[in-house]
Amino acid sequence: MSREFQWIGKPTVRYDGVARVTGQAQYTDDLRLPGMLVGKILRSPHAHARIRSIDTSKAEALPGVKAVATGQDAPVAYGILPVSEDEYALAVGKVRFVGDEVAAVAAVDEATALRALSLIVVDYEVLPAIFDPYEAMVREDVKIHEETRVANIERKASLSFGDVEAGFGEADYIREDSFFKGAATHAPIEPHSSLAHFQDGKLTLWTATQVPHYLHRYLSKVLELPQDRVRVIKPALGGGFGGKGEPLPLEFAASILARKSGRPVKITYTREEVFLTHRGRHPMHMKFKTGVKKDGRITALHFESLLDGGSYGSYGVVTLYYSGQLLTGPYVIPAYSFDAVRVHTNKPPCGAQRGHGGVQPRYGFEVHLDRIATDLGIDPLEIRLKNAMESGTRTVNELRITSCGFRECLERSARKVSWEERRGKLPKGRGLGIAGGFYICGAGLPIYFNPLHHSNARIEADRSGRVTVFCGASDIGQGSDTMLALVAAETIGVSPESVKVVSADTDTTPVDLGSYSSRVTFMAGNACHAAALEVRNRLLAAVAEEHGVSVEDLEIRGQAVEVPTSPPKILSFAEAVMLAEVRGGPVCGSGGYTPPILAGKYRGAGVGPSPAYSFGAHVAEVEVDTETGEVRVLRLVAAHDLGRALNPPAAEGQVEGAAVMGLGETLYERNEFVKTGQHESPSLLEYKVPTALDVPDIEPILVESLDPEGPFGAKECGEGSLHPSIPAIVNAIYDAVGIWLHEAPISPEAVLKALAAKKAGSREQGAGSRT
Amino acid sequence: MMVLPDFQLVRPSSLSEALSALAENPGAMPVAGGTDLLVSMKHGLFSPTHLVDLKGAPELHHLGVGEEGATIGACVRLSRIKDHPLIRTRYRALSQAAEAVASPPLQNRGTLGGNVCLDTRCYYYNQSDFWRRSLGGCLKKDGPICRAAPAAKRCFANFSSDTVPALIALGARVRLVGGPNGVKSERTLPLEEFFVEDGIKRNVLLPGELVADLHLPPAENLLSGYRKYRQRASIDYPLVSVAVAFQVREGRIREARVAVGAMASSPVLALETMEVLEGALPAPELLASAAELVTKRTKPVGNQAGSPGHRRLMARVMCRRLLKELLEAGPL
């Protein structure tokens, strides 16, 4: 676009901002239907057990109970990935973690529903449970899923690119390190909620989901209903972060109960149930081996990961591949190999969480890289700049890099804290750390194979002068509705406030694959842009014809079309719409987006490719209390290359939120279990999401590399901006007090232990060798 | 959602009405701010037939600070204590402790009496009904053994009040009213004697008896402070807390009182630390050796975040820092 932007790059008020801050936004749990019942789910008290029988007769007989469901009501396996459809709406035959869903009831009120649950008699044969992933790798006598061929290994992945052996041979220095990144969970403020209603043989489900389209397909499959008899609507949603990114038991349970009872059924999870539903960050055991030249240039990298997947597949196979595939940037790695394993354990299933798959390896690698730099006497910023990847290149595993602002991210974040003057020179107890990262802007392939667009939008301009965008994209609080309004407004030339957005309703909006893998701005934005161009072209063609001028001479600005006749005429936007409507009926445009074919030729190449990549670098400044072990983050500068900031305050909010989430995972949040499998802290009191007092002012820096294929040059900013924060904090702790922490989250006790070990001069973890 | 079990709400308008309501209904429980009790009821930890709301009793709202000391009614809100200018200057430990409770919205709701009577806490106890049942319960609720210390014969649930260590350090006495001997019965005892080192029994309150108010002795020349160790800077219950109060007369520490919270099932008076401080000249070595003894009588078990060893270490660090801070700052 040659003309200056009217709206892009300037602050735009959120589409739903006023409704949200005034409490008027309607979340799923706010919805009420006449005759609505309350649904509740009975959960397994055992970590691993076979179900011999379920007797629901007493529950069914309880006055006020309108339906009781068990796994037998819908024994159709599903799972977000077609390669691991290993879940049921309610347990069939077995339970695999404390909290696994066994049965469900719908009753006139919550107390009756809870009473009914207590009347369901389940006869369990308790089985030995496995909680440790190393044990899961070898225990042949305990099979969490009968289908796994070797012990409890769900999947292995091994890939190799370039000549790894030669790369290590060429190195002057080789270092090996091990890391462990513990689990974390999303902790969205809105608990999951679903309201199901059957009418005339058709199911409508209002639900807090990031993926209405995938859910639509799986509801149809599990409930054995044709797709045209299923409608999914996503009301206002209060945070997903990946935890609402796949079909979940309550969505099926509410639907089954609504079908059985003939009445609307709502299930809203308790906070504890949100924790048990999980699908969060995989605990990951990792090993890195990196070869470098004397000057710090990387020659080869080998990586190994063991993922503790919990009880079901979820997104795990993708997590497994991402853990390996996303280490080939943001540094040039000429030769690379990885071996990754995902196992089942008797804990709630792990899946996708903000920054999916790349977060744990990024933590390990960036600390590992700092250790190499320290061993060689190179500044951590310098080693990163030396290896930084550039635009217009390809990684060793064939990822196509279009725009790349990584170098600028490093330089600007370092400059902001006066890195050169201050790093390594602060008083003891204070330190600076830097780390980089990169992330996809949407997966190159859909979750199930199909050749269709990943995103679609339809736009209509009507004679009232209103523009309406119809798009399946799911606004989960990140602001995608505002993005759609903004892209449509800028493309057509009207103001964003005049654009209405109808989104995330499978009956009325064209398919978008959902809010996951940071794909929405890039893909739905491109689809919306294409649709808006069609509308604009029709309008201008009609005006040009009516007034006998050329289309090139027309411009839509501020709800009006300027016509360069003499004397010049100003048409209102509505008048322009009417001219077009007279000529060709309703003024509609449609557009779609499909990523170019980017996958390499090797098996496993489907995970990793994306039409564009975001880049980032964070610098943390920390203070370590050497008597208590407490770490306080004083500053977190977060530079993020997002291509172009369409709506800068929204982008800054995403970067700040991601950095805070990273900080929480680094220092506070522990998603652990007691030895019998119960979640240790299933509440917001005991699961330590940082409070406002624990978080410094985050200083976002938006770097604009203007991607050639993104909408107006934009890329993602909500997930990649989490990656660098964890290692930046860990590296800053080294600068502050000289200890390396190879396990996160970092407790004060771990800091004190490392300080004591350092004082005692004991051997450190990991080792390097000159070759 | 989590639902409250059914109960009848009784709203008396005087203390004697409240005591009668409690005496008449053996299944009743008193409630003031409800910030802890209602959550526990949702967890199925308590299922009272009646809740007797004490907030309507004007006798329980008195707050007076004068030359003869301070009297604070059980229903005085924590935020009022935190912000009271005379409490801030004369009884700093109490003001600091009130400010350390949970978060400002909860301080606006929670009361001093409620915080004094706060239930003890444990990973294995403060969980939902589903959670506890899946494990077969624990000594404190519906189970045969203590899950945190299975070999023990008693409950080790953790004493978690912020204000109590401060009150004890400040020499508070608690006045109890009502109970089985009738609504007119009344007794007053040093606050440390109110508590019992047992996570289930917790204190000496008799059925139907209430905490009416707390009395603090005069605060002349008193230095006091409160420190709390927790994971986050807000919201969390203490993992360790230390309160100190003393006077400095003719250069020597006098009438030192040191209380430790969250390190046993009751607050612990650190007698050894008090003994070392008493009459001593403030010197850095002294502070360190006094602080070393602060955990002597504590019995933390693994029922909170952080290992017992770490919590003991933190108690010593908090105590030393607090002593140092008080001696350096001097009287306000």
Side-chain angles (χ1 to χ4, degrees), chain B residues 47-105:
Chain B
S47 33
T49 55
H50 298 70
L51 279 188
V52 179
D53 181 1
L54 304 180
K55 290 195 297 295
E59 301 93 322
L60 302 177
H61 289 272
H62 175 70
L63 171 53
V65 185
E67 294 313 311
E68 69 292 351
T71 303
I72 308 172
C75 282
V76 173
R77 293 181 199 279
L78 295 167
S79 55
R80 198 171 151 212
I81 294 168
K82 171 184 86 176
D83 294 332
H84 195 284
L86 290 178
I87 293 180
R88 264 183 189 277
T89 48
R90 296 185 191 181
Y91 303 103
R92 192 161 150 267
L94 179 58
S95 169
Q96 288 177 335
E99 185 159 17
V101 176
S103 57

Side-chain angles (χ1 to χ4, degrees), chain A residues 145-189:
Chain A
H145 288 271
E146 271 67 25
E147 303 75 23
T148 52
R149 265 179 289 165
V150 179
N152 292 280
I153 294 174
E154 185 201 6
R155 184 92 165 210
K156 284 186 168 191
S158 290
L159 289 170
S160 185
F161 308 97
D163 192 336
V164 177
E165 208 177 312
F168 281 114
E170 201 191 314
D172 298 321
Y173 185 69
I174 295 170
R175 190 178 163 94
E176 293 182 53
D177 284 303
S178 300
F179 292 88
F180 174 65
K181 169 75 179 68
T185 198
H186 319 84
I189 295 304

